Amino acid sequence: MGKTGFLNEDFFLSTRTARELYHGYADRLPIIDYHCHISPKAIAEDWQFDNMTQVWLYEDHYKWRQMRSNGVEERFITGNAPDYEKFCKWAKTLEKAIGNPLYHWSHMELWRYIGYGGILNEDTAQEVWKLCEGRLAEEDMSVRGIIRMSNVELMCTTDDPADSLYWHREIAGDDSIEFRVLPTWRPDRALSIEKKDFVEYMGQLSQASGKEIRCFDDWKEALLERMEYFAKMGCLASDHGLLYVPWQPAEEKEVAAIFEARMQGNKVSREDELKFKTAAMLWLGKEYARRGWVMQLHFGVTRDNNTKMYQALGADSGFDGIYNRVPINELSAFLDALCQEHALPRTILYSLNPTDNAALGTLIGCFQEAGVAGKIQQGSAWWFNDHKTGMKEQKNP
């Protein structure tokens, strides 16, 4: 594609050693993506996109936040404005985003996948739009084509226990798909006893598992049934999205009473919520260890901070933030309880708060296991840390 604009094959590679390591080794390695949110349906049906707005702006709340910051009206963000007009608004937004990771990502994607090495702004928007339309119409730019072009060998999607995994079955039965796509167990809704739709979700889980859920033991049996099914579909990892890892242990009898009261329509106190979640997480952790599944813990995020916009647009619309009081001591107690029972699975820890890096680094060292390399790991710089500065800070010793 040549050295045009501010991008070239050595972008961010500022030293000879960096260039040798990347071009000589890293660039050839396949991607093993153990946590992604790509739709298995999109892969199974091999979607082809009509335009760049569908690729970039339909579901990307990173970009939505930046557009709002630059005063773009909501109809050009999540509203019903034409796709071309939304694209133009994003192009104009980029003019004020120089230095922002979104500026780099957008131009790197245009350069690598579209073949455009110039600068996207209000003046070049029409040119880039037409170029993207033409490129996206080519066969190798379908969902599968983009995955192949990215040299992906394995990807793990994010899947609810009640999911039928229908699209995973379709992918597994398609011999033309040479990369592997596996489900990941994400039981957040099964633990969200405080949510309004918890009892309704228990009905969905009952239907999926064939187990009627009335008590805490039923809850366990239903999840065991679904874990067996996920395992048959190739699942190797679990994942949890949490404010923080809870630690408020209680007797099994008390946890059972909390669950039954909730199933009868009663609300739960914050204390009872934490008792249930602690018991649930401990039980799940033991199951993961027994099955050899990796346990991923994503924490430190405050959800839906803007109530007005949440009510208008729903979750995952660009209004989440960083929780600034992650209790690392409670995470330690949780890991220690599993460790004492020889039931601590391989674990990956992701905190959205970068100030947790040092604390996590030392905590990880406390629970490594002799003879098992990297049993406990810190996950990649996640979400608001997913940029050059965030990655460098996390990797600093």
Side-chain angles (χ1 to χ4, degrees):
M1 297 179 187
K3 297 185 177 182
T4 56
F6 69 97
L7 284 173
N8 58 61
E9 64 272 13
D10 294 332
F11 187 54
F12 279 153
L13 305 176
S14 57
T15 67
R16 179 178 176 181
T17 301
R19 291 189 289 272
E20 288 180 356
L21 288 173
Y22 180 75
H23 295 304
Y25 301 94
D27 191 29
R28 305 172 189 173
L29 297 175
I31 290 175
I32 308 296
D33 187 351
Y34 46 85
H35 174 74
C36 79
H37 293 277
I38 295 175
S39 163
K41 180 180 180 181
I43 299 171
E45 295 184 337
D46 201 18
W47 291 359
Q48 197 92 27
F49 300 102
D50 295 325
N51 60 61
M52 206 60 180
T53 296
Q54 293 179 5
V55 179
W56 267 359
L57 297 173
Y58 271 22
E59 297 182 7
D60 192 339
H61 45 85
Y62 285 85
K63 294 185 178 72
W64 296 351
R65 289 168 67 101
Q66 189 63 46
M67 293 171 80
R68 292 185 186 114
S69 296
N70 284 16
V72 175
E73 297 175 32
E74 193 66 34
R75 72 186 191 93
F76 296 107
I77 303 172
T78 60
N80 59 2
D83 283 354
Y84 175 65
E85 293 182 20
K86 289 182 177 181
F87 179 82
C88 290
K89 291 294 185 181
W90 173 243
K92 188 174 182 179
T93 294
L94 276 182
E95 296 174 14
K96 299 180 181 179
I98 296 174
N100 188 300
L102 290 168
Y103 192 87
H104 300 140
W105 291 338
S106 296
H107 285 94
M108 288 176 74
E109 288 164 3
L110 287 174
W111 182 62
R112 176 170 291 185
Y113 298 99
I114 304 300
Y116 179 76
I119 304 297
L120 176 59
N121 53 40
E122 187 175 21
D123 294 334
T124 61
Q126 184 177 18
E127 171 196 355
V128 176
W129 173 265
K130 290 181 178 179
L131 181 64
C132 290
E133 270 192 321
R135 182 74 180 96
L136 288 170
E138 296 177 20
E139 186 176 351
D140 69 334
M141 286 297 288
S142 66
V143 167
R144 295 185 197 175
I146 294 171
I147 293 171
R148 292 187 187 102
M149 202 182 311
S150 304
N151 196 23
V152 175
E153 185 175 293
L154 168 68
M155 60 169 53
C156 298
T157 61
T158 306
D159 307 277
D160 186 273
D163 194 305
S164 69
L165 302 184
Y166 170 82
W167 296 110
H168 279 277
R169 294 199 304 272
E170 291 292 298
I171 292 168
D174 190 336
D175 294 335
S176 68
I177 303 177
E178 64 276 18
F179 50 85
R180 297 181 68 195
V181 183
L182 300 179
T184 295
W185 173 265
R186 180 75 177 243
D188 292 358
R189 295 186 69 191
L191 274 73
S192 297
I193 194 169
E194 79 284 6
K195 294 291 181 67
K196 292 180 180 179
D197 65 350
F198 180 76
V199 176
E200 177 187 347
Y201 177 72
M202 287 298 102
Q204 297 174 26
L205 186 58
S206 293
Q207 186 174 7
S209 64
K211 306 283 186 181
E212 185 178 1
I213 301 175
R214 294 164 297 183
C215 63
F216 190 37
D217 284 340
D218 294 340
W219 179 90
K220 293 178 184 177
E221 289 184 17
L223 290 181
L224 281 174
E225 180 69 27
R226 298 308 293 164
M227 277 191 263
E228 289 294 331
Y229 178 62
F230 269 61
K232 289 177 182 177
M233 294 300 297
C235 180
L236 298 170
S238 65
D239 187 24
H240 295 263
L242 305 157
L243 178 65
Y244 59 85
V245 178
W247 185 250
Q248 193 148 347
E251 295 292 331
E252 182 86 4
K253 186 176 181 180
E254 183 180 3
V255 176
I258 292 168
F259 185 89
E260 289 177 31
R262 182 68 186 91
M263 291 298 292
Q264 293 168 8
N266 297 323
K267 292 183 178 180
V268 295
S269 66
R270 176 62 173 163
E271 181 180 355
D272 284 348
E273 173 195 339
L274 293 175
K275 288 178 180 178
F276 169 74
K277 288 183 176 179
T278 300
M281 287 294 297
L282 286 170
W283 180 81
L284 285 167
K286 294 171 188 176
E287 279 300 317
Y288 302 153
R290 186 174 70 82
R291 296 171 183 277
W293 285 7
V294 173
M295 177 171 67
Q296 298 179 89
L297 302 175
H298 285 82
F299 51 88
V301 55
T302 58
R303 302 281 184 180
D304 310 317
N305 291 279
N306 188 325
T307 302
K308 181 185 75 171
M309 295 305 292
Y310 170 71
Q311 291 173 345
L313 300 174
D316 302 320
S317 298
F319 302 100
D320 299 331
I322 295 174
Y323 186 61
N324 68 346
R325 297 190 303 275
V326 176
I328 301 296
N329 59 316
E330 298 196 7
L331 170 61
S332 175
F334 169 71
L335 297 175
D336 187 50
L338 291 174
C339 187
Q340 287 186 58
E341 296 192 38
H342 306 284
L344 179 60
R346 289 180 180 270
T347 300
I348 305 176
L349 305 173
Y350 311 75
S351 177
L352 191 55
N353 194 329
T355 63
D356 292 336
N357 285 337
L360 287 178
T362 57
L363 182 65
I364 284 168
C366 298
F367 293 99
Q368 301 292 18
E369 183 176 325
V372 182
K375 179 170 181 175
I376 314 295
Q377 300 180 25
Q378 186 171 3
S380 56
W382 171 49
W383 200 341
F384 296 125
N385 302 316
D386 185 12
H387 46 73
K388 183 181 179 182
T389 301
M391 288 185 276
K392 285 182 68 175
E393 286 182 356
Q394 181 169 314
K395 291 178 182 298
N396 284 338

